[in-house]
Structure formats: C-alpha cells, structure tokens
Amino acid sequence: MKNKIKKIGITGGKGGTGKSTIAILFANKFIEENKKVLLVDCDVECPNDYLLLGQKLEKPKEKVYAEFPELNKAKCKKCGLCVRTCRSNAIFQAPGKYPIFIKDLCSGCGACWLVCPHKAIRPKREEIGQIFVNQIKRNFWLITGQANAGLEETGPVVVQTKKFVTSLAKKIKPDFILFDTAAGTHCPVISALMDCDLAYTVTEPTPMGAYDLNLILDLCQKLKVPAKIILNQADLGNKTEIKKVAKKFKIKIEKEIPYSKELVEAYSKGRLLELSLI
Ligand code: SF4
Ligand code: SF4
C-alpha cells in the first residue's frame, strides 16, 4: 500500500527567523533521499521562496477569486440588518442612509447577502490572487500562492492554494508536502497549518524569538498539530529563554543551526537549492 503523504508546516511566530530558508533546506534533504517534494509558499502577501530558489513567477496556473457584497439600492430598505449581522464590522451605515461596504475589512463570508430580507445584496466575484507552479527538479515542485497587492483578508488565498495543492498531489503523488507559512499566528497561518502532520517552528535565540515561539507553540497545540523547534543562528544569542519555552511545552529543540556565511551567501544569491545543512 502507498504510504500517506506527509504534510509538514514550517512556521514560527516571528518574522525574519529564516522559515523559508529552513523550508528549502528540508526540501533539499528529502530530495537527496530521492523523495518527491511539493514546497508550498503560503506566505501569500510576500512569497519569496521562488527568489531563494532562483526562479521567476511567470504565468499563473490558477487565479483565486472571492465574493464581495454589492448593493442594489433599488431594493434596499435601509433596515440595518446587514450591519448588525456583519461580524467583521465591514458595513457602515449612517442614520437614514444606505449601507456602505468596507472592502478592506470584508472576509467575503456571505452573511450579509444571506440575511438581507429584501435580496438587496448580491455577491460579486473578484480576483484576489494567483497560484504559480515551478518544477525545480525532476522530483521537486514549488507552488506559490500570491495575494493581490493591498488585499487585507489573505486567508482565502491560502485556502485556495492548499486546495490546488491537494489536487496537484493526486497527480504527482509526492512523499512530502512542505507548507512554508507567513509569520505570526493570524488567519493565513492557521489556514496553512491546518491538517499538517507536523510543524517545525523556526526561532532564534533572542527574547523576542522566545516570546513568539510561545505564541506559535500555543497555536499548534490548539490546532492539535505536533510541533518541533528549530533554532536558527543558534550561536548568535542566549538560548535560556528558548529552553524555558521548550520545557513549558515539553518539546525538545530538534535542531540547532549555527550562523553560516555559506548559508547567507546562498540566500542572497538565490542558490539555496545547492545546500544541505539539515
Ligand atoms: S439588510 Fe438589506 S435592506 Fe436592510 S439595510 Fe442591509 S441591504 Fe438594505
Ligand atoms: S460578506 Fe461577511 S464580512 Fe463581508 S460585509 Fe458581508 S457579512 Fe460582512
């Protein structure tokens, strides 16, 4: 029987800890073991894995759409029910006036057009992002989700990118899917980590690194995703606070990666594919 595809999240509450670098190093390790790998860049607001791999994003394989509300004033009775229903505070209504939709706050959940008793709101489909595929090697593919500039609610782009990857995986049958998440613990990160078999949380030996590690491990615990810690630039700071967080969550530091000039050079030249440091 074919083994189940292993889905691994590469994450870390803090930005700039080297998540993308570590994700690519893991991909390199699995490729060297002759495994098939899909690396998915879920940092859809500013994906950069393609740059680190010396690639370009050419023609999108798929476009991502979302539905936003549009008002038909001829039908609207200004009752305000849509305003009271919207949990994102994305509808403003001055007394006696028509409701106004604030797109930057709208998640496209659809509650307003479902609740309107006069059918005065209809969903309007709009493109919010694109999905790109680069085949890097015979057994290595990079899938990049990219949100349109200025989009506030980027979670749907991550969700759609993951759906695309699920159907691509049925054709390619990879051994590993690596999800490189955005920094933080917000919606797009949750969407990226959901259903992962394991998460590597990448951190650095600083008080801020420890603080954010605590947040991301807490999130992994809530999502019931087992987590391991990767300590990047391990020799450039004090590990005491990181060790305390690891102890609190009963998680060992899986790997310590020291500062490496070779790694920094490969990073800046988009040549990470050539490195095997994990
Ligand atoms: S619920 Fe419908 S009718 Fe009432 S204010 Fe909103 S759009 Fe207008
Ligand atoms: S689609 Fe959802 S978030 Fe957007 S305005 Fe309607 S109720 Fe609010």
Side-chain angles (χ1 to χ4, degrees), residues 113-153:
W113 60 79
L114 287 175
V115 84
C116 176
H118 304 286
K119 304 218 179 311
I121 305 172
R122 64 184 163 219
K124 193 177 165 215
R125 200 166 173 253
E126 285 183 33
E127 187 192 317
I128 58 166
Q130 300 91 35
I131 300 166
F132 301 86
V133 178
N134 295 69
Q135 182 164 10
I136 315 277
K137 283 188 171 184
R138 180 186 53 81
N139 53 347
F140 181 28
W141 290 259
L142 171 69
I143 296 91
T144 305
Q146 187 173 52
N148 284 356
L151 186 75
E152 290 284 326
E153 285 279 350

mmCIF file of all heavy atoms in Angstrom, residues 113-153:
data_model
loop_
_atom_site.group_PDB
_atom_site.id
_atom_site.type_symbol
_atom_site.label_atom_id
_atom_site.label_comp_id
_atom_site.label_asym_id
_atom_site.label_seq_id
_atom_site.Cartn_x
_atom_site.Cartn_y
_atom_site.Cartn_z
ATOM 1 N N TRP A 113 -25.498 38.968 2.493
ATOM 2 C CA TRP A 113 -26.447 38.703 1.402
ATOM 3 C C TRP A 113 -27.403 37.561 1.737
ATOM 4 O O TRP A 113 -28.494 37.490 1.207
ATOM 5 C CB TRP A 113 -25.787 38.540 0.029
ATOM 6 C CG TRP A 113 -24.774 37.444 -0.162
ATOM 7 C CD1 TRP A 113 -25.010 36.132 -0.355
ATOM 8 C CD2 TRP A 113 -23.355 37.601 -0.239
ATOM 9 N NE1 TRP A 113 -23.828 35.449 -0.535
ATOM 10 C CE2 TRP A 113 -22.799 36.329 -0.480
ATOM 11 C CE3 TRP A 113 -22.490 38.688 -0.138
ATOM 12 C CZ2 TRP A 113 -21.424 36.114 -0.607
ATOM 13 C CZ3 TRP A 113 -21.135 38.477 -0.268
ATOM 14 C CH2 TRP A 113 -20.604 37.203 -0.495
ATOM 15 N N LEU A 114 -27.007 36.732 2.676
ATOM 16 C CA LEU A 114 -27.943 35.671 3.104
ATOM 17 C C LEU A 114 -29.042 36.241 4.005
ATOM 18 O O LEU A 114 -30.192 35.825 3.951
ATOM 19 C CB LEU A 114 -27.191 34.575 3.868
ATOM 20 C CG LEU A 114 -26.304 33.674 3.013
ATOM 21 C CD1 LEU A 114 -25.524 32.720 3.900
ATOM 22 C CD2 LEU A 114 -27.121 32.884 2.005
ATOM 23 N N VAL A 115 -28.671 37.234 4.812
ATOM 24 C CA VAL A 115 -29.610 37.736 5.824
ATOM 25 C C VAL A 115 -30.546 38.839 5.282
ATOM 26 O O VAL A 115 -31.640 39.043 5.828
ATOM 27 C CB VAL A 115 -28.791 38.219 7.049
ATOM 28 C CG1 VAL A 115 -28.286 39.637 6.866
ATOM 29 C CG2 VAL A 115 -29.568 38.084 8.318
ATOM 30 N N CYS A 116 -30.153 39.496 4.231
ATOM 31 C CA CYS A 116 -30.966 40.625 3.744
ATOM 32 C C CYS A 116 -32.367 40.160 3.342
ATOM 33 O O CYS A 116 -32.522 39.351 2.422
ATOM 34 C CB CYS A 116 -30.282 41.297 2.556
ATOM 35 S SG CYS A 116 -31.316 42.603 1.861
ATOM 36 N N PRO A 117 -33.409 40.671 4.025
ATOM 37 C CA PRO A 117 -34.770 40.193 3.739
ATOM 38 C C PRO A 117 -35.298 40.672 2.383
ATOM 39 O O PRO A 117 -36.311 40.162 1.891
ATOM 40 C CB PRO A 117 -35.606 40.777 4.892
ATOM 41 C CG PRO A 117 -34.813 41.911 5.436
ATOM 42 C CD PRO A 117 -33.373 41.677 5.107
ATOM 43 N N HIS A 118 -34.606 41.640 1.773
ATOM 44 C CA HIS A 118 -35.100 42.209 0.508
ATOM 45 C C HIS A 118 -34.220 41.847 -0.687
ATOM 46 O O HIS A 118 -34.382 42.430 -1.764
ATOM 47 C CB HIS A 118 -35.221 43.732 0.654
ATOM 48 C CG HIS A 118 -36.086 44.127 1.805
ATOM 49 N ND1 HIS A 118 -37.456 44.011 1.792
ATOM 50 C CD2 HIS A 118 -35.763 44.572 3.052
ATOM 51 C CE1 HIS A 118 -37.949 44.397 2.960
ATOM 52 N NE2 HIS A 118 -36.936 44.730 3.747
ATOM 53 N N LYS A 119 -33.297 40.948 -0.451
ATOM 54 C CA LYS A 119 -32.370 40.499 -1.510
ATOM 55 C C LYS A 119 -31.700 41.696 -2.224
ATOM 56 O O LYS A 119 -31.585 41.743 -3.458
ATOM 57 C CB LYS A 119 -33.094 39.614 -2.535
ATOM 58 C CG LYS A 119 -33.792 38.417 -1.921
ATOM 59 C CD LYS A 119 -33.691 37.190 -2.789
ATOM 60 C CE LYS A 119 -34.355 35.968 -2.190
ATOM 61 N NZ LYS A 119 -34.010 35.681 -0.806
ATOM 62 N N ALA A 120 -31.304 42.654 -1.382
ATOM 63 C CA ALA A 120 -30.702 43.877 -1.929
ATOM 64 C C ALA A 120 -29.180 43.765 -2.046
ATOM 65 O O ALA A 120 -28.540 44.691 -2.536
ATOM 66 C CB ALA A 120 -31.062 45.068 -1.040
ATOM 67 N N ILE A 121 -28.615 42.649 -1.562
ATOM 68 C CA ILE A 121 -27.156 42.473 -1.670
ATOM 69 C C ILE A 121 -26.896 41.237 -2.516
ATOM 70 O O ILE A 121 -27.504 40.186 -2.289
ATOM 71 C CB ILE A 121 -26.505 42.266 -0.276
ATOM 72 C CG1 ILE A 121 -26.869 43.421 0.663
ATOM 73 C CG2 ILE A 121 -24.993 42.148 -0.398
ATOM 74 C CD1 ILE A 121 -26.431 43.213 2.100
ATOM 75 N N ARG A 122 -26.009 41.405 -3.490
ATOM 76 C CA ARG A 122 -25.638 40.218 -4.275
ATOM 77 C C ARG A 122 -24.119 40.056 -4.229
ATOM 78 O O ARG A 122 -23.386 41.054 -4.122
ATOM 79 C CB ARG A 122 -26.152 40.318 -5.699
ATOM 80 C CG ARG A 122 -25.549 41.439 -6.462
ATOM 81 C CD ARG A 122 -26.129 41.587 -7.850
ATOM 82 N NE ARG A 122 -25.787 42.924 -8.330
ATOM 83 C CZ ARG A 122 -26.576 43.699 -9.028
ATOM 84 N NH1 ARG A 122 -27.773 43.291 -9.372
ATOM 85 N NH2 ARG A 122 -26.182 44.888 -9.429
ATOM 86 N N PRO A 123 -23.658 38.791 -4.303
ATOM 87 C CA PRO A 123 -22.209 38.569 -4.294
ATOM 88 C C PRO A 123 -21.595 38.900 -5.643
ATOM 89 O O PRO A 123 -22.163 38.557 -6.686
ATOM 90 C CB PRO A 123 -22.089 37.079 -3.980
ATOM 91 C CG PRO A 123 -23.401 36.480 -4.374
ATOM 92 C CD PRO A 123 -24.444 37.541 -4.330
ATOM 93 N N LYS A 124 -20.470 39.582 -5.617
ATOM 94 C CA LYS A 124 -19.762 39.912 -6.859
ATOM 95 C C LYS A 124 -18.377 39.263 -6.794
ATOM 96 O O LYS A 124 -17.635 39.459 -5.821
ATOM 97 C CB LYS A 124 -19.633 41.428 -6.967
ATOM 98 C CG LYS A 124 -19.202 41.865 -8.328
ATOM 99 C CD LYS A 124 -19.166 43.380 -8.410
ATOM 100 C CE LYS A 124 -18.389 43.794 -9.643
ATOM 101 N NZ LYS A 124 -17.634 45.002 -9.424
ATOM 102 N N ARG A 125 -18.072 38.460 -7.814
ATOM 103 C CA ARG A 125 -16.825 37.703 -7.829
ATOM 104 C C ARG A 125 -15.663 38.605 -8.265
ATOM 105 O O ARG A 125 -15.767 39.304 -9.280
ATOM 106 C CB ARG A 125 -17.009 36.557 -8.832
ATOM 107 C CG ARG A 125 -16.065 35.402 -8.693
ATOM 108 C CD ARG A 125 -16.624 34.259 -9.526
ATOM 109 N NE ARG A 125 -15.699 33.161 -9.568
ATOM 110 C CZ ARG A 125 -14.988 32.837 -10.639
ATOM 111 N NH1 ARG A 125 -15.109 33.525 -11.751
ATOM 112 N NH2 ARG A 125 -14.169 31.806 -10.607
ATOM 113 N N GLU A 126 -14.585 38.556 -7.491
ATOM 114 C CA GLU A 126 -13.410 39.359 -7.862
ATOM 115 C C GLU A 126 -12.138 38.546 -7.687
ATOM 116 O O GLU A 126 -12.041 37.726 -6.766
ATOM 117 C CB GLU A 126 -13.308 40.593 -6.956
ATOM 118 C CG GLU A 126 -14.307 41.661 -7.308
ATOM 119 C CD GLU A 126 -14.140 42.899 -6.450
ATOM 120 O OE1 GLU A 126 -13.007 43.225 -6.057
ATOM 121 O OE2 GLU A 126 -15.177 43.515 -6.162
ATOM 122 N N GLU A 127 -11.192 38.793 -8.560
ATOM 123 C CA GLU A 127 -9.909 38.091 -8.443
ATOM 124 C C GLU A 127 -9.142 38.661 -7.254
ATOM 125 O O GLU A 127 -9.024 39.874 -7.118
ATOM 126 C CB GLU A 127 -9.105 38.298 -9.731
ATOM 127 C CG GLU A 127 -7.843 37.458 -9.751
ATOM 128 C CD GLU A 127 -6.899 37.847 -10.870
ATOM 129 O OE1 GLU A 127 -7.353 38.071 -11.999
ATOM 130 O OE2 GLU A 127 -5.685 37.924 -10.572
ATOM 131 N N ILE A 128 -8.629 37.771 -6.392
ATOM 132 C CA ILE A 128 -7.873 38.251 -5.220
ATOM 133 C C ILE A 128 -6.430 37.717 -5.186
ATOM 134 O O ILE A 128 -5.651 38.085 -4.318
ATOM 135 C CB ILE A 128 -8.592 37.899 -3.899
ATOM 136 C CG1 ILE A 128 -8.813 36.386 -3.769
ATOM 137 C CG2 ILE A 128 -9.895 38.657 -3.768
ATOM 138 C CD1 ILE A 128 -9.207 35.962 -2.362
ATOM 139 N N GLY A 129 -6.103 36.821 -6.108
ATOM 140 C CA GLY A 129 -4.734 36.311 -6.087
ATOM 141 C C GLY A 129 -4.481 35.315 -7.205
ATOM 142 O O GLY A 129 -5.369 35.052 -8.042
ATOM 143 N N GLN A 130 -3.271 34.782 -7.223
ATOM 144 C CA GLN A 130 -2.879 33.804 -8.251
ATOM 145 C C GLN A 130 -2.066 32.672 -7.613
ATOM 146 O O GLN A 130 -1.502 32.853 -6.533
ATOM 147 C CB GLN A 130 -1.991 34.452 -9.326
ATOM 148 C CG GLN A 130 -2.597 35.589 -10.101
ATOM 149 C CD GLN A 130 -2.314 36.919 -9.455
ATOM 150 O OE1 GLN A 130 -1.257 37.132 -8.892
ATOM 151 N NE2 GLN A 130 -3.291 37.816 -9.502
ATOM 152 N N ILE A 131 -2.038 31.564 -8.341
ATOM 153 C CA ILE A 131 -1.233 30.410 -7.903
ATOM 154 C C ILE A 131 -0.260 30.055 -9.037
ATOM 155 O O ILE A 131 -0.679 29.943 -10.198
ATOM 156 C CB ILE A 131 -2.132 29.203 -7.574
ATOM 157 C CG1 ILE A 131 -3.102 29.574 -6.443
ATOM 158 C CG2 ILE A 131 -1.296 27.979 -7.187
ATOM 159 C CD1 ILE A 131 -4.232 28.603 -6.264
ATOM 160 N N PHE A 132 0.992 29.890 -8.682
ATOM 161 C CA PHE A 132 2.037 29.581 -9.669
ATOM 162 C C PHE A 132 2.676 28.225 -9.350
ATOM 163 O O PHE A 132 2.751 27.833 -8.178
ATOM 164 C CB PHE A 132 3.146 30.642 -9.631
ATOM 165 C CG PHE A 132 2.663 32.036 -9.909
ATOM 166 C CD1 PHE A 132 2.152 32.828 -8.885
ATOM 167 C CD2 PHE A 132 2.715 32.555 -11.193
ATOM 168 C CE1 PHE A 132 1.706 34.118 -9.137
ATOM 169 C CE2 PHE A 132 2.274 33.847 -11.452
ATOM 170 C CZ PHE A 132 1.768 34.624 -10.431
ATOM 171 N N VAL A 133 3.138 27.566 -10.401
ATOM 172 C CA VAL A 133 3.851 26.292 -10.208
ATOM 173 C C VAL A 133 5.190 26.361 -10.942
ATOM 174 O O VAL A 133 5.238 26.729 -12.112
ATOM 175 C CB VAL A 133 3.029 25.098 -10.759
ATOM 176 C CG1 VAL A 133 3.812 23.792 -10.591
ATOM 177 C CG2 VAL A 133 1.681 24.997 -10.069
ATOM 178 N N ASN A 134 6.262 26.045 -10.231
ATOM 179 C CA ASN A 134 7.587 25.914 -10.858
ATOM 180 C C ASN A 134 8.100 24.513 -10.577
ATOM 181 O O ASN A 134 8.188 24.123 -9.408
ATOM 182 C CB ASN A 134 8.589 26.902 -10.246
ATOM 183 C CG ASN A 134 8.239 28.351 -10.519
ATOM 184 O OD1 ASN A 134 7.260 28.865 -10.008
ATOM 185 N ND2 ASN A 134 9.027 29.010 -11.324
ATOM 186 N N GLN A 135 8.412 23.787 -11.644
ATOM 187 C CA GLN A 135 9.079 22.497 -11.400
ATOM 188 C C GLN A 135 10.576 22.781 -11.340
ATOM 189 O O GLN A 135 11.191 23.201 -12.325
ATOM 190 C CB GLN A 135 8.753 21.472 -12.488
ATOM 191 C CG GLN A 135 9.426 20.147 -12.168
ATOM 192 C CD GLN A 135 8.880 18.966 -12.937
ATOM 193 O OE1 GLN A 135 8.103 19.124 -13.874
ATOM 194 N NE2 GLN A 135 9.306 17.773 -12.545
ATOM 195 N N ILE A 136 11.155 22.539 -10.166
ATOM 196 C CA ILE A 136 12.550 22.924 -9.935
ATOM 197 C C ILE A 136 13.500 21.788 -10.335
ATOM 198 O O ILE A 136 14.554 22.010 -10.886
ATOM 199 C CB ILE A 136 12.788 23.243 -8.437
ATOM 200 C CG1 ILE A 136 11.659 24.110 -7.881
ATOM 201 C CG2 ILE A 136 14.160 23.852 -8.202
ATOM 202 C CD1 ILE A 136 11.744 25.556 -8.117
ATOM 203 N N LYS A 137 13.085 20.564 -9.992
ATOM 204 C CA LYS A 137 13.876 19.377 -10.321
ATOM 205 C C LYS A 137 12.898 18.280 -10.719
ATOM 206 O O LYS A 137 11.684 18.452 -10.586
ATOM 207 C CB LYS A 137 14.669 18.891 -9.095
ATOM 208 C CG LYS A 137 15.902 19.699 -8.793
ATOM 209 C CD LYS A 137 16.700 19.022 -7.691
ATOM 210 C CE LYS A 137 18.052 19.681 -7.517
ATOM 211 N NZ LYS A 137 18.861 18.981 -6.535
ATOM 212 N N ARG A 138 13.436 17.151 -11.127
ATOM 213 C CA ARG A 138 12.587 16.020 -11.519
ATOM 214 C C ARG A 138 11.583 15.665 -10.426
ATOM 215 O O ARG A 138 10.433 15.347 -10.698
ATOM 216 C CB ARG A 138 13.512 14.812 -11.817
ATOM 217 C CG ARG A 138 12.826 13.533 -12.253
ATOM 218 C CD ARG A 138 13.830 12.401 -12.376
ATOM 219 N NE ARG A 138 14.631 12.220 -11.165
ATOM 220 C CZ ARG A 138 14.233 11.558 -10.080
ATOM 221 N NH1 ARG A 138 13.049 11.010 -10.046
ATOM 222 N NH2 ARG A 138 15.034 11.454 -9.027
ATOM 223 N N ASN A 139 12.021 15.762 -9.157
ATOM 224 C CA ASN A 139 11.162 15.342 -8.047
ATOM 225 C C ASN A 139 10.862 16.487 -7.068
ATOM 226 O O ASN A 139 10.643 16.275 -5.893
ATOM 227 C CB ASN A 139 11.803 14.168 -7.285
ATOM 228 C CG ASN A 139 13.224 14.472 -6.849
ATOM 229 O OD1 ASN A 139 13.822 15.442 -7.314
ATOM 230 N ND2 ASN A 139 13.758 13.667 -5.947
ATOM 231 N N PHE A 140 10.891 17.721 -7.576
ATOM 232 C CA PHE A 140 10.698 18.881 -6.682
ATOM 233 C C PHE A 140 9.897 19.978 -7.388
ATOM 234 O O PHE A 140 10.316 20.491 -8.424
ATOM 235 C CB PHE A 140 12.080 19.406 -6.247
ATOM 236 C CG PHE A 140 12.035 20.588 -5.305
ATOM 237 C CD1 PHE A 140 10.966 20.790 -4.437
ATOM 238 C CD2 PHE A 140 13.082 21.509 -5.281
ATOM 239 C CE1 PHE A 140 10.940 21.874 -3.578
ATOM 240 C CE2 PHE A 140 13.065 22.599 -4.422
ATOM 241 C CZ PHE A 140 11.987 22.780 -3.566
ATOM 242 N N TRP A 141 8.766 20.316 -6.800
ATOM 243 C CA TRP A 141 7.903 21.368 -7.340
ATOM 244 C C TRP A 141 7.713 22.462 -6.281
ATOM 245 O O TRP A 141 7.562 22.155 -5.089
ATOM 246 C CB TRP A 141 6.510 20.829 -7.697
ATOM 247 C CG TRP A 141 6.463 19.914 -8.865
ATOM 248 C CD1 TRP A 141 6.069 20.215 -10.143
ATOM 249 C CD2 TRP A 141 6.796 18.515 -8.886
ATOM 250 N NE1 TRP A 141 6.136 19.105 -10.956
ATOM 251 C CE2 TRP A 141 6.587 18.044 -10.212
ATOM 252 C CE3 TRP A 141 7.268 17.615 -7.931
ATOM 253 C CZ2 TRP A 141 6.810 16.727 -10.579
ATOM 254 C CZ3 TRP A 141 7.509 16.304 -8.306
ATOM 255 C CH2 TRP A 141 7.277 15.873 -9.603
ATOM 256 N N LEU A 142 7.683 23.693 -6.742
ATOM 257 C CA LEU A 142 7.350 24.822 -5.868
ATOM 258 C C LEU A 142 5.986 25.363 -6.283
ATOM 259 O O LEU A 142 5.762 25.646 -7.469
ATOM 260 C CB LEU A 142 8.398 25.936 -6.007
ATOM 261 C CG LEU A 142 8.043 27.261 -5.311
ATOM 262 C CD1 LEU A 142 8.069 27.102 -3.797
ATOM 263 C CD2 LEU A 142 9.012 28.371 -5.738
ATOM 264 N N ILE A 143 5.087 25.476 -5.317
ATOM 265 C CA ILE A 143 3.770 26.064 -5.581
ATOM 266 C C ILE A 143 3.701 27.362 -4.779
ATOM 267 O O ILE A 143 3.934 27.363 -3.568
ATOM 268 C CB ILE A 143 2.615 25.118 -5.168
ATOM 269 C CG1 ILE A 143 2.651 23.844 -6.034
ATOM 270 C CG2 ILE A 143 1.258 25.789 -5.362
ATOM 271 C CD1 ILE A 143 3.442 22.757 -5.480
ATOM 272 N N THR A 144 3.401 28.447 -5.465
ATOM 273 C CA THR A 144 3.399 29.756 -4.810
ATOM 274 C C THR A 144 2.005 30.370 -4.847
ATOM 275 O O THR A 144 1.424 30.533 -5.924
ATOM 276 C CB THR A 144 4.373 30.716 -5.539
ATOM 277 O OG1 THR A 144 5.653 30.102 -5.589
ATOM 278 C CG2 THR A 144 4.466 32.054 -4.826
ATOM 279 N N GLY A 145 1.486 30.691 -3.664
ATOM 280 C CA GLY A 145 0.237 31.457 -3.590
ATOM 281 C C GLY A 145 0.600 32.920 -3.450
ATOM 282 O O GLY A 145 1.495 33.268 -2.672
ATOM 283 N N GLN A 146 -0.069 33.777 -4.224
ATOM 284 C CA GLN A 146 0.244 35.211 -4.144
ATOM 285 C C GLN A 146 -1.059 36.011 -4.106
ATOM 286 O O GLN A 146 -1.895 35.886 -5.004
ATOM 287 C CB GLN A 146 1.076 35.637 -5.346
ATOM 288 C CG GLN A 146 1.575 37.059 -5.244
ATOM 289 C CD GLN A 146 2.540 37.398 -6.378
ATOM 290 O OE1 GLN A 146 2.229 37.196 -7.550
ATOM 291 N NE2 GLN A 146 3.714 37.885 -6.050
ATOM 292 N N ALA A 147 -1.208 36.819 -3.057
ATOM 293 C CA ALA A 147 -2.410 37.657 -2.940
ATOM 294 C C ALA A 147 -2.200 38.952 -3.713
ATOM 295 O O ALA A 147 -1.066 39.430 -3.809
ATOM 296 C CB ALA A 147 -2.666 37.975 -1.467
ATOM 297 N N ASN A 148 -3.279 39.504 -4.230
ATOM 298 C CA ASN A 148 -3.169 40.795 -4.916
ATOM 299 C C ASN A 148 -2.702 41.857 -3.926
ATOM 300 O O ASN A 148 -3.057 41.811 -2.737
ATOM 301 C CB ASN A 148 -4.522 41.207 -5.506
ATOM 302 C CG ASN A 148 -4.829 40.417 -6.767
ATOM 303 O OD1 ASN A 148 -4.015 39.628 -7.237
ATOM 304 N ND2 ASN A 148 -6.009 40.631 -7.315
ATOM 305 N N ALA A 149 -1.922 42.808 -4.406
ATOM 306 C CA ALA A 149 -1.384 43.869 -3.541
ATOM 307 C C ALA A 149 -2.528 44.603 -2.854
ATOM 308 O O ALA A 149 -3.543 44.911 -3.478
ATOM 309 C CB ALA A 149 -0.570 44.834 -4.387
ATOM 310 N N GLY A 150 -2.371 44.836 -1.564
ATOM 311 C CA GLY A 150 -3.358 45.619 -0.807
ATOM 312 C C GLY A 150 -4.498 44.799 -0.234
ATOM 313 O O GLY A 150 -5.307 45.327 0.527
ATOM 314 N N LEU A 151 -4.567 43.501 -0.571
ATOM 315 C CA LEU A 151 -5.651 42.666 -0.033
ATOM 316 C C LEU A 151 -5.446 42.474 1.471
ATOM 317 O O LEU A 151 -4.365 42.075 1.902
ATOM 318 C CB LEU A 151 -5.652 41.302 -0.744
ATOM 319 C CG LEU A 151 -6.803 40.371 -0.393
ATOM 320 C CD1 LEU A 151 -8.093 40.836 -1.082
ATOM 321 C CD2 LEU A 151 -6.491 38.929 -0.796
ATOM 322 N N GLU A 152 -6.470 42.773 2.261
ATOM 323 C CA GLU A 152 -6.348 42.666 3.721
ATOM 324 C C GLU A 152 -6.586 41.246 4.203
ATOM 325 O O GLU A 152 -5.868 40.722 5.037
ATOM 326 C CB GLU A 152 -7.353 43.598 4.404
ATOM 327 C CG GLU A 152 -7.023 45.066 4.246
ATOM 328 C CD GLU A 152 -5.882 45.516 5.133
ATOM 329 O OE1 GLU A 152 -5.758 44.995 6.241
ATOM 330 O OE2 GLU A 152 -5.110 46.398 4.700
ATOM 331 N N GLU A 153 -7.640 40.615 3.690
ATOM 332 C CA GLU A 153 -8.015 39.260 4.130
ATOM 333 C C GLU A 153 -7.367 38.246 3.197
ATOM 334 O O GLU A 153 -7.933 37.909 2.149
ATOM 335 C CB GLU A 153 -9.543 39.108 4.089
ATOM 336 C CG GLU A 153 -10.267 39.805 5.209
ATOM 337 C CD GLU A 153 -10.269 38.987 6.498
ATOM 338 O OE1 GLU A 153 -9.874 37.804 6.465
ATOM 339 O OE2 GLU A 153 -10.658 39.554 7.524
#
